[in-house]
């Protein structure tokens, strides 16, 4: 999604340290969090523990989607690898210098294994990584030249493949042959979600109508963190005849779920990044048909493990259907009746028989 976790735009001024760059927390292996406090140690290893700094996109831990998936990978690393960590979150509307300062501040604090969550960090990672060649970086959802470096792992996902499967599921379950797609911000990354969704739906039901709405345009990334905008957009699609709406809008997806609930029986939403039938507000979970799971946690954990084991390799690493990087949720059994058809499509994607587009 990255990051890509989630963001309404508010002017932000950077001051010394991280105070104006979002929230910070030091987290030891036990999972306690103390904003502005001192760093704990993991598994009794004291100062020998690997120190990981994780820079979230706007929305941070608790967005129920992209950022939370990254947090899950960090939590696993704390439990299984004994690392210690510090987490920091982007602010709405902050300047590019704030992202650079956030990464630099983590490094100055002794955190020399850095995870940047979301493509918006690409220029900052590229600049800060070059200035700190002994620090290992991972950036989620970017493989551009902007973030490329000898000490940078660029972690990407085949979002189009997972979206193809939820598009097929939506077309198989719709009663109106009318679907919706809501993207948080119209970027090449989110267009991958759209492309896969449309292709999957059209494969199953060629005459399906699909409405597409983007909440904001770059450089306004507020579309990833504005539930009110998400609800307004989804309300319009449901009122226009769609009965299933898929969102790739980070925290704005909460509004899509509320709109599905308000639309009443027979109207569904499809979640993204996490299994949102497990992470969304309990009141709206029954309205979530399925989710396109993007296992950001897997990428984060594998990066940290590689650094700890001395096997880190720079460059792009893509997690796809075959590697388990993306998948589709079966929670609550809403799509159990079509699982066989979806499995066939999944196998055809993995074998290469189906080529999923990356652009609509």
């Amino acid at each position: 999604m990255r990051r890509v976790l989630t963001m309404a735009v508010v002017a932000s001024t950077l001051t010394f340290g991280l105070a104006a760059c979002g929230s910070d927390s030091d987290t030891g292996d036990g999972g306690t969090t103390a904003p502005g406090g001192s760093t704990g140690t993991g598994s009794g290893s004291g100062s020998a523990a690997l120190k990981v700094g994780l820079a979230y996109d706007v929305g941070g831990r608790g967005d129920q989607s992209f950022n939370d998936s990254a947090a899950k990978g960090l939590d696993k690393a704390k439990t299984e690898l004994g690392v210690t960590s510090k987490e920091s979150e982007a602010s709405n509307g902050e300047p590019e210098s704030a992202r650079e300062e956030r990464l630099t501040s983590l490094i100055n604090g002794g955190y020399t294994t850095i995870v940047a969550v979301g493509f918006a960090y690409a220029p900052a990672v590229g600049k800060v990584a070059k200035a700190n060649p002994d620090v290992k970086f991972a950036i989620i959802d970017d493989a551009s030249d902007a973030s490329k470096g000898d000490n940078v792992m660029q972690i990407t996902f085949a979002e189009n493949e997972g979206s193809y499967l939820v598009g097929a599921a939506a077309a198989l379950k719709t009663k109106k042959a009318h679907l919706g797609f809501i993207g948080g911000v119209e970027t090449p990354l989110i267009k991958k979600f759209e492309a896969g969704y449309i292709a999957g739906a059209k494969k199953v039901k060629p005459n399906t109508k699909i409405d597409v709405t983007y909440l904001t345009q770059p450089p306004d990334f507020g579309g990833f963190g504005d539930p009110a905008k998400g609800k307004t957009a989804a309300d319009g699609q449901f009122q226009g005849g769609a009965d299933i709406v898929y969102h790739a809008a980070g925290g704005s997806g909460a509004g899509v779920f509320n709109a599905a609930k308000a639309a009443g029986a027979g109207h569904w939403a499809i979640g993204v990044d996490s299994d949102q039938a497990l992470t969304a507000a309990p009141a709206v979970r029954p309205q979530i048909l399925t989710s396109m799971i993007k296992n950001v946690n897997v990428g984060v954990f594998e990066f940290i493990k590689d650094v700890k084991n001395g096997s880190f390799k720079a460059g792009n690493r893509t997690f796809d259907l075959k590697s388990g990087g993306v998948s589709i949720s079966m929670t609550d059994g809403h799509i159990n009746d079509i699982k066989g058809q979806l499995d066939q499509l999944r196998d055809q994607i993995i074998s290469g028989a189906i080529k999923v587009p990356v652009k609509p």
Side-chain angles (χ1 to χ4, degrees), residues 119 181-192 194 212-221 223-224 248 360:
F119 61 83
F181 173 82
I182 293 175
V185 184
E186 191 167 2
T187 64
L189 173 64
I190 305 305
K191 297 295 280 187
K192 285 175 64 180
E194 178 193 345
V212 176
T213 302
Y214 282 90
L215 302 181
T216 62
Q217 298 289 322
D220 180 357
F221 291 98
F224 289 127

Side-chain angles (χ1 to χ4, degrees), residues 87-176:
E87 303 169 35
S88 184
E89 176 186 332
S91 298
N92 291 323
E94 67 181 16
E96 179 61 33
S97 58
R99 295 181 185 271
E100 296 174 14
E101 177 66 17
R102 180 173 303 109
L103 299 179
T104 300
S105 294
L106 288 170
I107 295 167
N108 289 342
Y111 298 87
T112 55
T113 300
I114 305 294
V115 180
V117 183
F119 61 83
Y121 277 101
V125 166
K127 183 176 180 179
V128 178
K130 286 180 176 64
N132 297 275
D134 294 332
V135 176
K136 300 295 189 294
F137 290 81
I139 183 169
I140 308 298
D141 279 351
D142 183 73
S144 70
D145 288 343
S147 66
K148 188 176 181 180
D150 293 339
N151 53 336
V152 181
M153 179 184 288
Q154 299 171 310
I155 298 173
T156 56
F157 297 83
E159 298 92 352
N160 55 321
E161 293 182 356
S163 296
Y164 186 100
L165 294 182
V166 297
L172 289 167
K173 300 297 285 189
T174 180
K175 304 299 183 184
K176 300 180 178 180

Side-chain angles (χ1 to χ4, degrees), residues 205-288:
K205 196 171 291 184
N207 294 326
T208 301
K209 180 180 179 181
I210 303 170
D211 299 328
V212 176
T213 302
Y214 282 90
L215 302 181
T216 62
Q217 298 289 322
D220 180 357
F221 291 98
F224 289 127
D226 193 333
K229 280 187 177 178
K231 185 176 187 303
T232 297
D235 282 338
Q237 291 188 352
F238 286 128
Q239 291 167 10
D243 57 354
I244 302 174
V245 175
Y246 174 39
H247 88 86
S252 299
V256 177
F257 301 149
N258 286 328
K261 181 180 179 182
H267 296 84
W268 299 92
I270 296 177
V272 75
D273 294 335
S274 299
D275 184 350
Q276 296 201 280
L278 300 177
T279 64
V284 300
R285 292 179 187 177
Q287 307 302 135
I288 300 175

Side-chain angles (χ1 to χ4, degrees), residues 280-356:
V284 300
R285 292 179 187 177
Q287 307 302 135
I288 300 175
L289 181 69
T290 182
S291 295
M292 196 291 283
I293 302 174
K294 178 174 166 178
N295 291 311
V296 177
N297 57 302
V298 174
V300 170
F301 179 80
E302 290 297 316
F303 161 68
I304 296 171
K305 184 177 73 173
D306 286 352
V307 174
K308 184 175 177 63
N309 293 343
S311 56
F312 168 85
K313 291 182 179 180
N316 182 216
R317 183 172 179 182
T318 299
F319 294 84
D320 56 11
L321 269 178
K322 185 176 182 179
S323 66
V326 294
S327 58
I328 182 170
S329 69
M330 304 297 294
T331 304
D332 293 336
H334 298 312
I335 59 171
N336 283 356
D337 58 323
I338 58 172
K339 183 178 184 299
Q341 292 159 279
L342 297 176
D343 285 345
Q344 287 180 5
L345 293 172
R346 178 184 181 276
D347 291 345
Q348 290 174 339
I349 293 171
I350 290 173
S351 72
I354 291 177
K355 303 291 186 183
V356 183

